[in-house]
Amino acid sequence: MIRVVVVDDEALVRSGFEMILNAADDIQVVATAVGSEAVSAVRRERPDVVLLDIRMPDVDGLTVLAELQALPAAPVVAMLTTFDTDEYVMTALHSGAAGFLLKDTEPDQLAQLVRTLAAGGVVLSPRASRAVLRGRPTGPAPADAEEATRVGRLTDRERAVLTLVAEGLSNADIGARIHLSAGTVKDHVSAILTKLRVASRVQAALIAQRTGLLDPKNKAGDE
């Protein structure tokens, strides 16, 4: 059972997400909270995944994200936002969030996105992922020479794994795609993070985009 905490200042959003996710057989919303209650709720319930509003009037979502990451057993955190061009999204992703979801994500997609988060995948709301990865209207600068050099040090297999990480696949899904065990993929991901000098899959995904790995003509294994 995937345990989820939903943090949002709007009661309607909290109840809506709770109802949708609890309808899935393998997901349980164990708590909902406003920003000021978030850390205590997570400490108490020890969820696998936290869906965290990025803009709240009582406590800023980025502040809550930092506090959650400092916990001994930090959960996976995805940010909730109303706009796919939210100026804080890139900051959250670079600060360790595992992705972000638009609050109007289709109900039939929501449970699967939570499953992806719980499995270690990167989640960027499908409608908005291109805008965020391309840095529009605000976002990451183009890849610098150092990033390109780090990517150049990856093996062909590591570049293939990085491309699939950037597409949002979990370790198990990557393994199925390129015929490796999930454990082997995990080892490759660890090596990739070390070589790229980043702390999270999302940060690695952003480097993959900036250095052109997501361009169809550059994808490993493309015909």
Side-chain angles (χ1 to χ4, degrees), residues 7 14 26 42-43 63 71 85 103 106 109 117 121 142 149 151 159 167 169 194-195 208 219:
V7 181
R14 296 195 303 271
D26 58 339
V42 170
R43 286 182 181 276
T63 299
L71 295 176
T85 55
K103 292 185 183 181
E106 292 294 329
Q109 296 177 352
L117 287 165
T149 298
V151 170
R159 280 194 291 273
E167 291 179 359
L169 276 65
T194 298
K195 289 182 179 181
K219 286 186 180 180

Side-chain angles (χ1 to χ4, degrees), residues 154-171:
L154 300 179
T155 66
D156 289 344
R157 177 52 58 86
E158 287 169 347
R159 280 194 291 273
V161 171
L162 175 58
T163 299
L164 296 175
V165 166
E167 291 179 359
L169 276 65
S170 67
N171 290 347

Side-chain angles (χ1 to χ4, degrees), residues 22-95:
N22 280 342
D25 293 338
D26 58 339
I27 299 173
Q28 179 184 10
V29 175
V30 294
T32 65
V34 297
S36 59
E37 304 167 341
V39 176
S40 61
V42 170
R43 286 182 181 276
R44 182 179 66 250
E45 300 295 343
R46 297 185 179 182
D48 304 296
V49 175
V50 175
L51 302 181
L52 172 62
D53 189 4
I54 203 167
R55 293 174 180 261
M56 295 179 288
D58 56 346
V59 180
D60 179 76
L62 297 176
T63 299
V64 175
L65 173 63
E67 292 177 353
L68 293 180
Q69 288 190 308
L71 295 176
V76 174
V77 180
M79 311 307 291
L80 297 175
T81 181
T82 305
F83 306 106
D84 59 9
T85 55
D86 193 312
E87 64 193 80
Y88 292 116
V89 164
M90 289 307 303
T91 301
L93 296 180
H94 283 292
S95 298

Side-chain angles (χ1 to χ4, degrees), residues 125-184:
S125 188
R127 199 179 80 202
S129 59
R130 289 183 181 273
V132 172
L133 286 175
R134 289 175 180 171
R136 185 177 43 136
T138 59
D144 58 25
E146 179 60 26
E147 283 185 346
T149 298
R150 292 173 190 168
V151 170
R153 294 184 183 128
L154 300 179
T155 66
D156 289 344
R157 177 52 58 86
E158 287 169 347
R159 280 194 291 273
V161 171
L162 175 58
T163 299
L164 296 175
V165 166
E167 291 179 359
L169 276 65
S170 67
N171 290 347
D173 290 336
I174 293 171
R177 182 78 65 87
I178 58 177
H179 312 295
L180 295 174
S181 70
T184 299

